[in-house]
Amino acid sequence: MEDLDYQELKKGGMMRQSEKGRFSVRLHVTGGNLTSMAMGIIVHVAERFGSGEIHLTARQGIEIPNISQEDLRKVKNELSSGGVSVGVCGPTIRTITACQGCRICPNGILDAPRLAGVIDQNFYGKPVPHKFKIGISGCTNNCIKAEENDVGIKGAVEPLWDEEFCTHCGICQSVCPVKAIEVDQEKKKVKIRFFQCIYCGDCIQSCPTNSMKEAQRGFLLYAGGKFGRFPSIGKRIGKLFSHDSDLIKAVGASVEFFRLNGKPKERFGGALERVGFDKFEEFMREKLEEGLDEKAA
Amino acid sequence: MKRQLDIRGDVCPGLFVKVRAEMERLRKGEKLEVILKERDLKDVMSTLKIEGYQVPHVSQEGEDYRVTVTK
């Protein structure tokens, strides 16, 4: 094997194929979005260096299979001329997945692809004890399946009842998927049981008099999920975070906790089980408060 | 007379098409009463809100809702 090729291979993203000497080139895709220009260069590379086949991976990635080892460097250069870079593998932070988000989807609360981009710029490809997957669902319908990621995010909104124009029609109570709202038509009162609330915002979207308002818009964070041979569901950490200021800090705290406590070949969820979710919650709280102090200063 | 639209037998996306078409036929100030199942309440209400219609009256009869919409 040529030295240069070996250097390229070590950087990752070149997946060895069943057939000797052939590679499937993994691309860097963020939040499931690609420009038409990027798509064009991918098509060109697949036709010129591959077999014309393009594979969509399980987590919104793209791989171009059937690339010969001697073409790897050329493929990389060609791709980068169109603004496409090669992806990562091994113990790193992997593809940040996202749904279409609120710019496209009427249910959306967060601009999931934009936030995926922000997380990508800060964390993509960075080293961690074992592979680390991050996914962002724009709302609690959770199309991206937040709980199967090492860190999963869901857009969420906290309701607030404003009695001024409320007609006590009962729509909020009927649409609430977890029956957290009680409308008392006689006393003309509406009660929201927040310990049950999943912050989906259905009550706000359905209220005919805009009496269910947004108290706060943000995100819920789930940690320690994975699939593979032994699936486990991520657990919710903390309450509702405010997305603008806290997203990078919360993801950063998760990565830092994993680096401090994780072992090779052990996923984030394994480390959390071993060290304790409560320890992580405490660590997260401290990290977010550090930020608050800085703001106050 | 109030116009009526019964969408209890319809499913997504057909029911939205019906509601939209009926609303477009409505003149300003006219009312439309939509009769729907509770399961479609959230989707219909949020669609009406996004499209800027007013919902001055809502009543419930068992699993059915009667929603009055104005332009």
Side-chain angles (χ1 to χ4, degrees):
Chain A
M1 192 188 289
E2 257 185 78
D3 264 6
L4 268 169
D5 279 343
Y6 184 66
Q7 286 306 319
E8 285 300 325
L9 289 174
K10 265 182 74 178
K11 287 180 196 161
M14 312 291 187
M15 318 306 290
R16 191 170 55 87
Q17 269 181 226
S18 316
E19 193 184 333
K20 202 172 172 232
R22 292 209 166 211
F23 288 80
S24 184
V25 175
R26 179 177 287 179
L27 306 180
H28 178 189
V29 179
T30 304
N33 273 1
L34 284 168
T35 61
S36 52
M37 187 181 94
M39 214 59 163
I41 199 81
I42 293 166
V43 168
H44 165 75
V45 166
E47 284 173 354
R48 183 160 169 217
F49 299 99
S51 53
E53 213 174 299
I54 296 171
H55 177 72
L56 302 179
T57 73
R59 291 186 73 253
Q60 301 186 327
I62 286 186
E63 284 184 20
I64 309 174
N66 299 316
I67 304 287
S68 297
Q69 196 170 316
E70 58 266 26
D71 288 334
L72 288 175
R73 214 152 20 110
K74 271 184 272 177
V75 162
K76 202 170 178 176
N77 292 339
E78 200 97 1
L79 286 167
S80 76
S81 75
V84 177
S85 54
V86 170
V88 294
C89 54
T92 58
I93 295 180
R94 303 293 185 83
T95 301
I96 323 296
T97 59
C99 66
Q100 296 253 59
C102 63
R103 273 184 299 131
I104 311 288
C105 177
N107 291 319
I109 291 170
L110 299 180
D111 186 349
R114 184 184 72 82
L115 294 174
V118 174
I119 294 179
D120 186 272
Q121 278 174 4
N122 285 274
F123 301 103
Y124 182 72
K126 295 271 167 72
V128 268
H130 195 17
K131 65 172 101 168
F132 194 96
K133 300 176 181 180
I134 302 173
I136 310 175
S137 282
C139 74
T140 57
N141 287 356
N142 198 16
C143 296
I144 222 73
K145 306 171 187 76
E147 291 92 331
E148 68 175 42
N149 288 270
D150 294 274
V151 164
I153 306 289
K154 279 183 207 171
V157 54
E158 186 184 305
L160 172 76
W161 178 55
D162 177 355
E163 62 186 310
E164 195 178 354
F165 298 109
C166 180
T167 58
H168 318 95
C169 66
I171 286 186
C172 52
Q173 181 179 309
S174 299
V175 299
C176 179
V178 291
K179 302 285 163 236
I181 302 179
E182 212 177 291
V183 179
D184 189 328
Q185 271 153 345
E186 281 175 18
K187 289 184 188 155
K188 302 201 179 306
K189 287 284 169 204
V190 175
K191 200 165 106 187
I192 308 169
R193 288 183 289 268
F194 281 101
F195 68 94
Q196 272 173 284
C197 180
I198 57 163
Y199 306 101
C200 66
D202 282 5
C203 54
I204 301 170
Q205 281 186 45
S206 308
C207 178
T209 58
N210 296 323
S211 301
M212 275 296 177
K213 294 188 153 52
E214 266 184 45
Q216 195 190 163
R217 193 173 262 241
F219 66 89
L220 302 171
L221 185 139
Y222 294 79
K226 69 187 201 69
F227 243 70
R229 290 180 186 172
F230 308 104
S232 66
I233 296 292
K235 289 192 183 135
R236 200 169 109 190
I237 301 294
K239 287 188 177 166
L240 187 73
F241 296 101
S242 135
H243 77 268
D244 286 303
S245 52
D246 292 342
L247 185 68
I248 291 299
K249 269 189 269 168
V251 174
S254 309
V255 171
E256 196 183 333
F257 191 83
F258 190 35
R259 283 184 184 141
L260 291 170
N261 297 286
K263 292 178 185 173
K265 294 280 171 195
E266 177 192 56
R267 290 285 286 273
F268 188 37
L272 291 174
E273 286 287 345
R274 187 168 47 75
V275 182
F277 276 86
D278 53 331
K279 291 272 188 317
F280 174 54
E281 284 195 277
E282 204 182 302
F283 185 81
M284 175 72 82
R285 259 197 309 275
E286 280 168 16
K287 288 287 161 192
L288 291 172
E289 276 163 17
E290 268 175 26
L292 289 179
D293 292 345
E294 278 163 29
K295 254 189 243 165
Chain B
M1 204 189 82
K2 206 176 352 185
R3 296 167 80 133
Q4 267 194 351
L5 177 67
D6 188 343
I7 51 167
R8 284 174 295 183
D10 295 289
V11 289
C12 173
L15 61 91
F16 299 111
V17 177
K18 280 193 181 175
V19 173
R20 279 199 193 105
E22 201 64 22
M23 287 309 294
E24 266 160 37
R25 272 188 227 120
L26 224 59
R27 279 190 294 266
K28 213 168 160 58
E30 256 186 321
K31 284 180 182 164
L32 172 72
E33 185 179 64
V34 184
I35 309 168
L36 67 154
K37 290 275 182 206
E38 187 177 288
R39 56 159 198 257
D40 297 319
L41 195 56
K42 184 237 151 183
D43 289 334
V44 170
M45 288 306 295
S46 57
T47 303
L48 291 171
K49 276 181 79 166
I50 288 172
E51 307 212 343
Y53 298 120
Q54 306 288 314
V55 182
H57 190 257
V58 178
S59 65
Q60 190 180 3
E61 288 163 22
E63 277 184 22
D64 297 343
Y65 270 82
R66 283 169 185 268
V67 171
T68 305
V69 194
T70 60
K71 215 167 186 171

PDB file of all heavy atoms in Angstrom, chain A residues 106-107 169-171 174-175 202 204-208 210, chain B residues 38 41-43 45-46 49-50 55-56 58 60 65 67:
ATOM      1  N   PRO A 106     -44.855  22.246   9.333  1.00  0.00           N
ATOM      2  CA  PRO A 106     -45.773  23.045  10.166  1.00  0.00           C
ATOM      3  C   PRO A 106     -45.772  22.642  11.639  1.00  0.00           C
ATOM      4  O   PRO A 106     -46.160  23.432  12.491  1.00  0.00           O
ATOM      5  CB  PRO A 106     -47.155  22.786   9.552  1.00  0.00           C
ATOM      6  CG  PRO A 106     -46.963  21.911   8.389  1.00  0.00           C
ATOM      7  CD  PRO A 106     -45.553  21.475   8.305  1.00  0.00           C
ATOM      8  N   ASN A 107     -45.323  21.421  11.945  1.00  0.00           N
ATOM      9  CA  ASN A 107     -45.251  21.002  13.348  1.00  0.00           C
ATOM     10  C   ASN A 107     -43.976  21.488  14.038  1.00  0.00           C
ATOM     11  O   ASN A 107     -43.855  21.410  15.252  1.00  0.00           O
ATOM     12  CB  ASN A 107     -45.278  19.476  13.458  1.00  0.00           C
ATOM     13  CG  ASN A 107     -46.624  18.918  13.075  1.00  0.00           C
ATOM     14  OD1 ASN A 107     -47.656  19.471  13.435  1.00  0.00           O
ATOM     15  ND2 ASN A 107     -46.622  17.836  12.319  1.00  0.00           N
ATOM     16  N   CYS A 169     -63.583  26.474  26.077  1.00  0.00           N
ATOM     17  CA  CYS A 169     -64.231  25.588  25.112  1.00  0.00           C
ATOM     18  C   CYS A 169     -63.796  24.133  25.280  1.00  0.00           C
ATOM     19  O   CYS A 169     -64.487  23.225  24.844  1.00  0.00           O
ATOM     20  CB  CYS A 169     -63.934  26.046  23.679  1.00  0.00           C
ATOM     21  SG  CYS A 169     -62.203  25.906  23.200  1.00  0.00           S
ATOM     22  N   GLY A 170     -62.636  23.920  25.882  1.00  0.00           N
ATOM     23  CA  GLY A 170     -62.210  22.548  26.157  1.00  0.00           C
ATOM     24  C   GLY A 170     -61.350  21.911  25.077  1.00  0.00           C
ATOM     25  O   GLY A 170     -60.963  20.749  25.190  1.00  0.00           O
ATOM     26  N   ILE A 171     -61.028  22.687  24.008  1.00  0.00           N
ATOM     27  CA  ILE A 171     -60.208  22.110  22.935  1.00  0.00           C
ATOM     28  C   ILE A 171     -58.830  21.695  23.459  1.00  0.00           C
ATOM     29  O   ILE A 171     -58.342  20.609  23.166  1.00  0.00           O
ATOM     30  CB  ILE A 171     -60.077  23.096  21.746  1.00  0.00           C
ATOM     31  CG1 ILE A 171     -61.401  23.133  20.982  1.00  0.00           C
ATOM     32  CG2 ILE A 171     -58.944  22.689  20.819  1.00  0.00           C
ATOM     33  CD1 ILE A 171     -61.387  23.941  19.714  1.00  0.00           C
ATOM     34  N   SER A 174     -59.029  18.448  25.141  1.00  0.00           N
ATOM     35  CA  SER A 174     -59.263  17.341  24.209  1.00  0.00           C
ATOM     36  C   SER A 174     -58.025  16.983  23.400  1.00  0.00           C
ATOM     37  O   SER A 174     -57.782  15.811  23.130  1.00  0.00           O
ATOM     38  CB  SER A 174     -60.379  17.691  23.231  1.00  0.00           C
ATOM     39  OG  SER A 174     -61.574  17.918  23.925  1.00  0.00           O
ATOM     40  N   VAL A 175     -57.253  17.997  22.979  1.00  0.00           N
ATOM     41  CA  VAL A 175     -56.112  17.687  22.103  1.00  0.00           C
ATOM     42  C   VAL A 175     -54.875  17.247  22.879  1.00  0.00           C
ATOM     43  O   VAL A 175     -53.968  16.660  22.298  1.00  0.00           O
ATOM     44  CB  VAL A 175     -55.723  18.872  21.170  1.00  0.00           C
ATOM     45  CG1 VAL A 175     -56.880  19.235  20.253  1.00  0.00           C
ATOM     46  CG2 VAL A 175     -55.237  20.071  21.953  1.00  0.00           C
ATOM     47  N   ASP A 202     -49.372  21.162  21.320  1.00  0.00           N
ATOM     48  CA  ASP A 202     -50.653  20.937  20.627  1.00  0.00           C
ATOM     49  C   ASP A 202     -51.731  21.881  21.146  1.00  0.00           C
ATOM     50  O   ASP A 202     -52.570  22.362  20.383  1.00  0.00           O
ATOM     51  CB  ASP A 202     -51.128  19.485  20.816  1.00  0.00           C
ATOM     52  CG  ASP A 202     -50.384  18.522  19.895  1.00  0.00           C
ATOM     53  OD1 ASP A 202     -49.455  18.968  19.205  1.00  0.00           O
ATOM     54  OD2 ASP A 202     -50.750  17.327  19.877  1.00  0.00           O
ATOM     55  N   ILE A 204     -51.346  24.893  22.300  1.00  0.00           N
ATOM     56  CA  ILE A 204     -51.093  26.248  21.789  1.00  0.00           C
ATOM     57  C   ILE A 204     -51.537  26.349  20.334  1.00  0.00           C
ATOM     58  O   ILE A 204     -52.213  27.302  19.937  1.00  0.00           O
ATOM     59  CB  ILE A 204     -49.586  26.598  21.916  1.00  0.00           C
ATOM     60  CG1 ILE A 204     -49.151  26.507  23.381  1.00  0.00           C
ATOM     61  CG2 ILE A 204     -49.284  27.968  21.327  1.00  0.00           C
ATOM     62  CD1 ILE A 204     -47.662  26.584  23.603  1.00  0.00           C
ATOM     63  N   GLN A 205     -51.180  25.314  19.556  1.00  0.00           N
ATOM     64  CA  GLN A 205     -51.531  25.314  18.123  1.00  0.00           C
ATOM     65  C   GLN A 205     -53.039  25.238  17.890  1.00  0.00           C
ATOM     66  O   GLN A 205     -53.531  25.676  16.858  1.00  0.00           O
ATOM     67  CB  GLN A 205     -50.892  24.119  17.434  1.00  0.00           C
ATOM     68  CG  GLN A 205     -49.435  24.305  17.115  1.00  0.00           C
ATOM     69  CD  GLN A 205     -48.915  23.127  16.302  1.00  0.00           C
ATOM     70  OE1 GLN A 205     -49.538  22.672  15.376  1.00  0.00           O
ATOM     71  NE2 GLN A 205     -47.750  22.632  16.682  1.00  0.00           N
ATOM     72  N   SER A 206     -53.776  24.650  18.848  1.00  0.00           N
ATOM     73  CA  SER A 206     -55.205  24.419  18.627  1.00  0.00           C
ATOM     74  C   SER A 206     -56.108  25.468  19.239  1.00  0.00           C
ATOM     75  O   SER A 206     -57.292  25.521  18.916  1.00  0.00           O
ATOM     76  CB  SER A 206     -55.606  23.067  19.223  1.00  0.00           C
ATOM     77  OG  SER A 206     -54.771  22.061  18.761  1.00  0.00           O
ATOM     78  N   CYS A 207     -55.619  26.288  20.142  1.00  0.00           N
ATOM     79  CA  CYS A 207     -56.485  27.206  20.883  1.00  0.00           C
ATOM     80  C   CYS A 207     -57.104  28.263  19.963  1.00  0.00           C
ATOM     81  O   CYS A 207     -56.386  29.034  19.321  1.00  0.00           O
ATOM     82  CB  CYS A 207     -55.704  27.881  21.999  1.00  0.00           C
ATOM     83  SG  CYS A 207     -56.739  29.054  22.897  1.00  0.00           S
ATOM     84  N   PRO A 208     -58.442  28.317  19.879  1.00  0.00           N
ATOM     85  CA  PRO A 208     -59.080  29.255  18.949  1.00  0.00           C
ATOM     86  C   PRO A 208     -58.964  30.719  19.370  1.00  0.00           C
ATOM     87  O   PRO A 208     -59.144  31.616  18.549  1.00  0.00           O
ATOM     88  CB  PRO A 208     -60.544  28.805  18.937  1.00  0.00           C
ATOM     89  CG  PRO A 208     -60.745  28.056  20.196  1.00  0.00           C
ATOM     90  CD  PRO A 208     -59.417  27.457  20.563  1.00  0.00           C
ATOM     91  N   ASN A 210     -56.237  31.973  21.155  1.00  0.00           N
ATOM     92  CA  ASN A 210     -54.836  32.232  21.524  1.00  0.00           C
ATOM     93  C   ASN A 210     -54.658  32.427  23.030  1.00  0.00           C
ATOM     94  O   ASN A 210     -53.813  33.227  23.463  1.00  0.00           O
ATOM     95  CB  ASN A 210     -54.279  33.449  20.780  1.00  0.00           C
ATOM     96  CG  ASN A 210     -54.240  33.222  19.291  1.00  0.00           C
ATOM     97  OD1 ASN A 210     -53.960  32.113  18.830  1.00  0.00           O
ATOM     98  ND2 ASN A 210     -54.561  34.257  18.525  1.00  0.00           N
TER      99      ASN A 210
ATOM    100  N   GLU B  38     -63.029  14.142  17.337  1.00  0.00           N
ATOM    101  CA  GLU B  38     -62.021  14.661  18.265  1.00  0.00           C
ATOM    102  C   GLU B  38     -60.592  14.374  17.765  1.00  0.00           C
ATOM    103  O   GLU B  38     -59.708  15.210  17.910  1.00  0.00           O
ATOM    104  CB  GLU B  38     -62.217  14.042  19.657  1.00  0.00           C
ATOM    105  CG  GLU B  38     -61.296  14.669  20.697  1.00  0.00           C
ATOM    106  CD  GLU B  38     -61.525  14.110  22.094  1.00  0.00           C
ATOM    107  OE1 GLU B  38     -62.562  14.430  22.687  1.00  0.00           O
ATOM    108  OE2 GLU B  38     -60.662  13.373  22.586  1.00  0.00           O
ATOM    109  N   LEU B  41     -59.187  17.142  15.714  1.00  0.00           N
ATOM    110  CA  LEU B  41     -59.328  18.494  16.258  1.00  0.00           C
ATOM    111  C   LEU B  41     -58.035  19.307  16.172  1.00  0.00           C
ATOM    112  O   LEU B  41     -58.016  20.433  15.696  1.00  0.00           O
ATOM    113  CB  LEU B  41     -59.794  18.380  17.720  1.00  0.00           C
ATOM    114  CG  LEU B  41     -60.334  19.630  18.394  1.00  0.00           C
ATOM    115  CD1 LEU B  41     -61.478  20.228  17.599  1.00  0.00           C
ATOM    116  CD2 LEU B  41     -60.810  19.290  19.807  1.00  0.00           C
ATOM    117  N   LYS B  42     -56.928  18.710  16.626  1.00  0.00           N
ATOM    118  CA  LYS B  42     -55.654  19.450  16.659  1.00  0.00           C
ATOM    119  C   LYS B  42     -55.228  19.869  15.246  1.00  0.00           C
ATOM    120  O   LYS B  42     -54.868  21.018  15.021  1.00  0.00           O
ATOM    121  CB  LYS B  42     -54.572  18.592  17.313  1.00  0.00           C
ATOM    122  CG  LYS B  42     -53.258  19.316  17.474  1.00  0.00           C
ATOM    123  CD  LYS B  42     -52.143  18.595  16.803  1.00  0.00           C
ATOM    124  CE  LYS B  42     -51.064  19.545  16.355  1.00  0.00           C
ATOM    125  NZ  LYS B  42     -50.009  18.838  15.638  1.00  0.00           N
ATOM    126  N   ASP B  43     -55.290  18.925  14.291  1.00  0.00           N
ATOM    127  CA  ASP B  43     -54.841  19.234  12.936  1.00  0.00           C
ATOM    128  C   ASP B  43     -55.730  20.283  12.265  1.00  0.00           C
ATOM    129  O   ASP B  43     -55.232  21.179  11.588  1.00  0.00           O
ATOM    130  CB  ASP B  43     -54.799  17.955  12.088  1.00  0.00           C
ATOM    131  CG  ASP B  43     -53.661  17.046  12.519  1.00  0.00           C
ATOM    132  OD1 ASP B  43     -52.672  17.562  13.070  1.00  0.00           O
ATOM    133  OD2 ASP B  43     -53.757  15.826  12.311  1.00  0.00           O
ATOM    134  N   MET B  45     -57.765  22.552  13.796  1.00  0.00           N
ATOM    135  CA  MET B  45     -57.634  23.845  14.489  1.00  0.00           C
ATOM    136  C   MET B  45     -56.328  24.543  14.113  1.00  0.00           C
ATOM    137  O   MET B  45     -56.308  25.749  13.870  1.00  0.00           O
ATOM    138  CB  MET B  45     -57.701  23.654  16.009  1.00  0.00           C
ATOM    139  CG  MET B  45     -59.074  23.303  16.547  1.00  0.00           C
ATOM    140  SD  MET B  45     -60.372  24.454  16.076  1.00  0.00           S
ATOM    141  CE  MET B  45     -59.828  25.922  16.919  1.00  0.00           C
ATOM    142  N   SER B  46     -55.212  23.781  14.097  1.00  0.00           N
ATOM    143  CA  SER B  46     -53.938  24.444  13.806  1.00  0.00           C
ATOM    144  C   SER B  46     -53.909  24.915  12.356  1.00  0.00           C
ATOM    145  O   SER B  46     -53.357  25.972  12.056  1.00  0.00           O
ATOM    146  CB  SER B  46     -52.746  23.545  14.137  1.00  0.00           C
ATOM    147  OG  SER B  46     -52.839  22.344  13.432  1.00  0.00           O
ATOM    148  N   LYS B  49     -55.893  28.132  12.135  1.00  0.00           N
ATOM    149  CA  LYS B  49     -55.123  29.245  12.732  1.00  0.00           C
ATOM    150  C   LYS B  49     -54.024  29.722  11.792  1.00  0.00           C
ATOM    151  O   LYS B  49     -53.854  30.924  11.576  1.00  0.00           O
ATOM    152  CB  LYS B  49     -54.519  28.815  14.076  1.00  0.00           C
ATOM    153  CG  LYS B  49     -55.507  28.952  15.220  1.00  0.00           C
ATOM    154  CD  LYS B  49     -54.892  28.544  16.530  1.00  0.00           C
ATOM    155  CE  LYS B  49     -54.000  29.606  17.125  1.00  0.00           C
ATOM    156  NZ  LYS B  49     -53.697  29.311  18.546  1.00  0.00           N
ATOM    157  N   ILE B  50     -53.277  28.759  11.224  1.00  0.00           N
ATOM    158  CA  ILE B  50     -52.177  29.121  10.313  1.00  0.00           C
ATOM    159  C   ILE B  50     -52.731  29.920   9.125  1.00  0.00           C
ATOM    160  O   ILE B  50     -52.123  30.874   8.670  1.00  0.00           O
ATOM    161  CB  ILE B  50     -51.424  27.853   9.828  1.00  0.00           C
ATOM    162  CG1 ILE B  50     -50.581  27.271  10.970  1.00  0.00           C
ATOM    163  CG2 ILE B  50     -50.516  28.169   8.632  1.00  0.00           C
ATOM    164  CD1 ILE B  50     -49.959  25.925  10.668  1.00  0.00           C
ATOM    165  N   VAL B  55     -62.194  31.430  14.843  1.00  0.00           N
ATOM    166  CA  VAL B  55     -63.064  30.362  15.335  1.00  0.00           C
ATOM    167  C   VAL B  55     -63.829  30.894  16.550  1.00  0.00           C
ATOM    168  O   VAL B  55     -63.375  30.742  17.682  1.00  0.00           O
ATOM    169  CB  VAL B  55     -62.254  29.098  15.704  1.00  0.00           C
ATOM    170  CG1 VAL B  55     -63.186  27.969  16.173  1.00  0.00           C
ATOM    171  CG2 VAL B  55     -61.448  28.621  14.502  1.00  0.00           C
ATOM    172  N   PRO B  56     -64.975  31.568  16.327  1.00  0.00           N
ATOM    173  CA  PRO B  56     -65.657  32.198  17.453  1.00  0.00           C
ATOM    174  C   PRO B  56     -66.446  31.237  18.339  1.00  0.00           C
ATOM    175  O   PRO B  56     -66.779  31.579  19.466  1.00  0.00           O
ATOM    176  CB  PRO B  56     -66.604  33.207  16.787  1.00  0.00           C
ATOM    177  CG  PRO B  56     -66.839  32.663  15.430  1.00  0.00           C
ATOM    178  CD  PRO B  56     -65.639  31.866  15.045  1.00  0.00           C
ATOM    179  N   VAL B  58     -67.166  26.963  19.601  1.00  0.00           N
ATOM    180  CA  VAL B  58     -66.840  25.536  19.584  1.00  0.00           C
ATOM    181  C   VAL B  58     -67.770  24.820  20.540  1.00  0.00           C
ATOM    182  O   VAL B  58     -67.997  25.290  21.655  1.00  0.00           O
ATOM    183  CB  VAL B  58     -65.385  25.300  20.070  1.00  0.00           C
ATOM    184  CG1 VAL B  58     -65.072  23.817  20.108  1.00  0.00           C
ATOM    185  CG2 VAL B  58     -64.382  26.022  19.204  1.00  0.00           C
ATOM    186  N   GLN B  60     -69.025  20.682  21.967  1.00  0.00           N
ATOM    187  CA  GLN B  60     -68.688  19.268  21.961  1.00  0.00           C
ATOM    188  C   GLN B  60     -69.953  18.439  22.163  1.00  0.00           C
ATOM    189  O   GLN B  60     -70.806  18.775  22.989  1.00  0.00           O
ATOM    190  CB  GLN B  60     -67.714  18.984  23.104  1.00  0.00           C
ATOM    191  CG  GLN B  60     -67.115  17.601  23.049  1.00  0.00           C
ATOM    192  CD  GLN B  60     -66.148  17.330  24.196  1.00  0.00           C
ATOM    193  OE1 GLN B  60     -65.976  18.176  25.068  1.00  0.00           O
ATOM    194  NE2 GLN B  60     -65.564  16.160  24.206  1.00  0.00           N
ATOM    195  N   TYR B  65     -67.090  17.251  17.467  1.00  0.00           N
ATOM    196  CA  TYR B  65     -66.970  18.681  17.754  1.00  0.00           C
ATOM    197  C   TYR B  65     -67.646  19.475  16.648  1.00  0.00           C
ATOM    198  O   TYR B  65     -67.616  19.069  15.483  1.00  0.00           O
ATOM    199  CB  TYR B  65     -65.500  19.083  17.831  1.00  0.00           C
ATOM    200  CG  TYR B  65     -64.929  18.963  19.222  1.00  0.00           C
ATOM    201  CD1 TYR B  65     -64.499  17.731  19.708  1.00  0.00           C
ATOM    202  CD2 TYR B  65     -64.832  20.074  20.057  1.00  0.00           C
ATOM    203  CE1 TYR B  65     -63.990  17.608  20.984  1.00  0.00           C
ATOM    204  CE2 TYR B  65     -64.320  19.953  21.337  1.00  0.00           C
ATOM    205  CZ  TYR B  65     -63.907  18.727  21.800  1.00  0.00           C
ATOM    206  OH  TYR B  65     -63.408  18.623  23.060  1.00  0.00           O
ATOM    207  N   VAL B  67     -67.336  23.160  15.138  1.00  0.00           N
ATOM    208  CA  VAL B  67     -66.447  24.326  15.160  1.00  0.00           C
ATOM    209  C   VAL B  67     -66.981  25.358  14.169  1.00  0.00           C
ATOM    210  O   VAL B  67     -67.147  25.050  12.993  1.00  0.00           O
ATOM    211  CB  VAL B  67     -65.013  23.894  14.765  1.00  0.00           C
ATOM    212  CG1 VAL B  67     -64.121  25.095  14.564  1.00  0.00           C
ATOM    213  CG2 VAL B  67     -64.425  22.979  15.834  1.00  0.00           C
TER     214      VAL B  67
END
